[in-house]
Amino acid sequence: MYPKFFDNQYHGKKTDSESCIGHWWLPWFGAAIAKRLADDGAAVALTYTSSPQKADDVVRAIESAGGKALAIRADSADVEAVKNAVAETVKAFGRLDILVNNTGVAALAPIDQFSLEEFDRLVAINIKGVFVATQEAIRHMGEGGRIINIGSVTVKATRSLAWFPTLPALKLVSSPAQA
C-alpha cells in the first residue's frame, strides 16, 4: 500500500496533523520530501549529519509556509543518534506517524582496494541505520503508521561487489512482516 501522500486517491488532501521523521542522504531529495510532507500538514523532523545550515534552511522554509519542522543532527551510522532522533521527534511532536528512510552511502572501488572499515560503514548506514530507525519508529507508531524506505538502483548499474550486499538487506528490512 502506498503512503497517503503518494496515493492516487490522495490528490492534494491534507493529512490529519501527522508527524514524521526522515533520514536524508541526498539533501535536495530529502528537502523536497520534507517540504511536501509539511505542505500536506505533517510536522516534520529531518536529520542531517554535516550540513546544519542546509537543514535549518529547510526548517525555515517549512515554518515560513506555516508548517512545523525540526532539524536533528544524527549520523545514520550511530545507533544511539538514530534512537535519540526518533525520541526527540516524539518529544517535540507528541507522536510519530511516518518514517522516511532515505539514507545510504556508496563507496565504489575494486573489491581488492575496498577497506574493511569502509565496508563496515556501508553496512552501518545502509542496513543497521535503516533497521534501527525502523525498529525505534514502530515503537511509537499507532495503527496506520507508515514506513517508507528509499534505496538506489545505482548499485545495479555499477556492480560494486562491496556495495551490492547492502541492497538486498534494505529490501528485506522493507518487506512487510508475515503473519
Side-chain angles (χ1 to χ4, degrees), residues 108-160:
L108 304 176
I111 195 78
D112 61 333
Q113 297 172 19
F114 205 89
S115 73
L116 186 55
E117 291 79 16
E118 190 60 37
F119 181 78
D120 287 343
R121 181 152 172 78
L122 289 176
V123 170
I125 293 172
N126 296 357
I127 301 171
K128 190 187 283 186
V130 170
F131 176 81
V132 171
T134 301
Q135 187 177 55
E136 287 298 306
I138 286 172
R139 292 181 176 139
H140 298 281
M141 285 183 176
E143 190 169 330
R146 292 172 298 282
I147 297 171
I148 303 147
N149 292 324
I150 300 172
S152 173
V153 296
T154 306
V155 69
K156 292 180 180 180
T158 60
R159 301 274 188 221
S160 169

Side-chain angles (χ1 to χ4, degrees), residues 20-94:
C20 60
I21 184 171
H23 297 277
W24 317 118
W25 172 49
L26 297 172
W28 56 269
F29 193 62
I33 294 170
K35 289 174 183 176
R36 173 64 191 265
L37 285 164
D39 285 346
D40 290 347
V44 179
L46 55 112
T47 63
Y48 66 92
T49 302
S50 61
S51 301
Q53 182 61 44
K54 289 179 183 177
D56 288 342
D57 290 346
V58 174
V59 168
R60 277 193 297 281
I62 290 170
E63 290 176 341
S64 70
K68 292 182 184 177
L70 170 68
I72 303 168
R73 184 180 179 104
D75 184 343
S76 296
D78 181 342
V79 169
E80 290 307 311
V82 172
K83 288 179 178 182
N84 290 336
V86 173
E88 193 171 335
T89 300
V90 173
K91 183 178 178 184
F93 300 136

